[in-house]
């Protein structure tokens, strides 16, 4: 019953997030905001609303292990499952700006999250945690990323796929009529809040019922559920011969998760790093590091073979974490 209720909560969360994004994007367009800025900010923030609300509520309720698992799990699933399956559907060409700008930014974000989680390196008496100070630093990094990306947008460089994709995404979400905009925005936000609250409660109940840690539940079931919008967008884009959209979508989502979501969660409530959490961070670092040579190799194309490596690596790790978490309980 807990599993069915969790599935229903995730469904409400994702559907409400879609309507929230559609409504607020249309309002932004009516206020004269360009489709490019809408795609880079409103749509990017909106599609990550499920992760943001679930994790902030988890922190408020003291379930920081669930929040940590979801933040790291969503980022790993974006690189392994979303990117890998998209490459299996259709090999994707990687634009130079992604290699020189977006992926390096993601590597910096992963490195920052990893270093801040390892307090024992500096003081063996300290417990590993993302403190409130760490949270503010992560939010500062996110502000720098926004400034740098916005400056690139203002220069309007032609041929920059990342910015072109942002503009297209912005256009796609501004079709709502005036009478529906406010209703969709308010209703979507209410649905997201309610769905997130139910998701956290059901996830905690499921962890207790199955005898696994909240971290494992957040790393697997919740992460897969909250990553569904990115997965659907990437697969549809690949089938329409726009597979390059997936990489920008994945990198942007990971930057939001690791810098903005993790930062806000740590500010709301310091996040104690679970005992096995360092393994999760190491795996995320591995996936982020190999993404750069994969993007550069094969003539800047992510092939089906490389997509298979990404998917198999993620599946093997998640199975190991779930089984080890179950046996340890």
């Amino acid at each position: 019953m807990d599993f069915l209720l969790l599935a229903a909560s995730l469904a409400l969360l994702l559907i409400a997030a879609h309507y929230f994004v559609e409504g607020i994007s249309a309002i932004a367009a009516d206020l004269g905001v360009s489709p490019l800025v809408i795609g880079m900010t409103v749509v990017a923030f909106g599609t990550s609303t499920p992760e943001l609300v679930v994790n902030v509520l988890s922190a408020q309720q003291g379930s920081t292990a669930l929040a940590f698992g979801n933040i790291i799990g969503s980022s790993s699933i974006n690189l392994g499952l979303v990117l890998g399956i998209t490459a299996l559907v259709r090999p994707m060409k990687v634009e130079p700006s992604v290699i020189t700008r977006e992926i390096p930014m993601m590597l910096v974000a992963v490195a920052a999250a990893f270093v801040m989680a390892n307090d024992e390196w500096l003081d063996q008496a300290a417990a590993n945690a993302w403190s409130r100070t760490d949270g503010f630093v992560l939010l500062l990094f996110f502000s720098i990323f926004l400034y740098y990306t916005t400056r690139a947008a203002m220069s309007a460089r032609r041929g920059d796929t990342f910015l072109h994709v942002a503009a297209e995404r912005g256009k796609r979400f501004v079709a709502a009529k005036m009478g529906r905009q406010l209703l969709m925005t308010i209703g979507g936000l209410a649905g997201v809040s309610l769905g997130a609250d139910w998701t956290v409660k059901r996830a905690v109940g499921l962890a207790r019922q199955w005898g696994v840690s909240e971290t494992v539940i957040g790393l697997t079931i919740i992460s897969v559920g909250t990553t569904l919008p990115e997965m659907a967008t990437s697969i549809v884009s690949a089938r329409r011969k726009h597979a390059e959209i997936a990489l920008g979508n994945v990198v942007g989502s990971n930057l939001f998760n690791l810098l903005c979501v993790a930062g806000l969660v740590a500010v709301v409530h310091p996040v104690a790093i679970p005992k096995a959490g360092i393994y999760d961070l190491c795996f995320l670092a591995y996936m982020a590091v190999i993404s750069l040579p994969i993007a550069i190799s094969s003539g800047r194309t992510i092939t089906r073979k490389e997509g298979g490596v990404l998917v198999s690596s993620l599946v093997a790790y998640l199975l190991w974490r779930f089984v080890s978490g179950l046996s340890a309980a």
Side-chain angles (χ1 to χ4, degrees):
M1 181 58 69
D2 270 333
F3 184 79
L4 291 176
L5 290 173
L6 176 61
S9 300
L10 281 170
L12 172 61
L13 181 67
L14 297 177
I15 293 171
H18 172 79
Y19 283 107
F20 171 70
V21 171
E22 188 173 338
I24 198 170
S25 299
I27 291 174
D30 284 342
L31 294 175
V33 181
S34 74
L36 173 59
V37 175
I38 292 173
M40 288 173 52
T41 56
V42 177
V43 176
F45 281 52
T47 53
S48 294
T49 300
E51 288 97 333
L52 177 61
V53 181
V54 164
N55 292 316
V56 170
L57 283 177
S58 297
Q60 287 179 335
Q61 297 176 17
S63 298
T64 56
L66 180 66
F68 174 84
N70 184 221
I71 291 168
I72 303 304
S74 294
S75 300
S76 298
I77 286 172
N78 274 332
L79 289 170
L81 204 60
V82 177
L83 199 59
I85 289 179
T86 305
L88 289 173
V89 173
R90 184 179 298 277
M92 66 185 76
K93 193 73 175 176
V94 182
E95 296 298 321
S97 63
V98 175
I99 296 173
T100 59
R101 188 179 66 205
E102 277 77 56
I103 291 181
M105 285 182 176
M106 181 180 67
L107 290 173
V108 170
V110 172
F114 184 87
V115 171
M116 290 176 185
N118 283 275
D119 296 313
E120 291 180 359
W121 284 358
L122 300 176
D123 184 0
Q124 294 184 352
N128 288 334
W130 285 333
S131 65
R132 284 193 170 90
T133 301
D134 294 335
F136 283 117
V137 172
L138 291 173
L139 290 174
L140 176 62
F141 283 164
F142 184 67
S143 300
I144 294 172
F145 161 71
L146 278 184
Y147 168 77
Y148 186 74
T149 307
T150 303
R151 190 178 67 174
M154 294 301 101
S155 65
R157 289 181 292 178
R158 294 182 179 180
D160 191 326
T161 300
F162 186 80
L163 302 180
H164 174 71
V165 168
E168 290 301 315
R169 294 178 74 193
K171 291 177 183 178
R172 192 168 67 247
F173 281 95
V174 298
K177 295 182 179 179
M178 286 290 294
R180 298 167 51 203
Q181 295 172 3
L182 191 58
L183 181 62
M184 284 192 299
T185 303
I186 296 175
L189 185 58
V192 167
S193 301
L194 185 61
D197 183 53
W198 289 352
T199 297
V200 171
K201 291 178 180 178
R202 298 285 75 79
V204 172
L206 200 62
R208 293 172 179 170
Q209 179 182 336
W210 285 1
V212 299
S213 67
E214 293 179 14
T215 307
V216 172
I217 293 294
L219 193 72
T220 54
I221 298 174
I222 305 301
S223 293
V224 171
T226 56
T227 309
L228 287 177
E230 288 87 353
M231 190 179 303
T233 299
S234 298
I235 291 175
V236 170
S237 299
R239 295 186 64 181
R240 293 177 179 176
K241 300 182 180 182
H242 294 291
E244 68 277 1
I245 291 177
L247 189 54
N249 192 34
V250 163
V251 174
S253 179
N254 279 5
L255 283 166
F256 188 87
N257 285 337
L258 294 168
L259 298 180
C260 183
V261 177
L264 285 174
V265 168
V267 169
V268 170
H269 192 294
V271 178
I273 307 301
K275 291 182 179 180
I278 300 302
Y279 295 116
D280 302 328
L281 283 165
C282 286
F283 178 74
L284 174 59
Y286 158 75
M287 295 294 285
V289 168
I290 67 171
S291 67
L292 186 57
I294 284 178
I296 296 174
S297 64
S298 304
R300 289 193 288 105
T301 301
I302 301 179
T303 65
R304 287 189 172 91
K305 182 179 179 180
E306 291 166 337
V309 170
L310 291 172
V311 173
S312 59
S313 297
L314 176 76
V315 171
Y317 181 76
L318 291 184
L319 284 175
W320 174 77
R321 280 291 280 123
F322 191 84
V323 172
S324 64
L326 186 63
S327 60

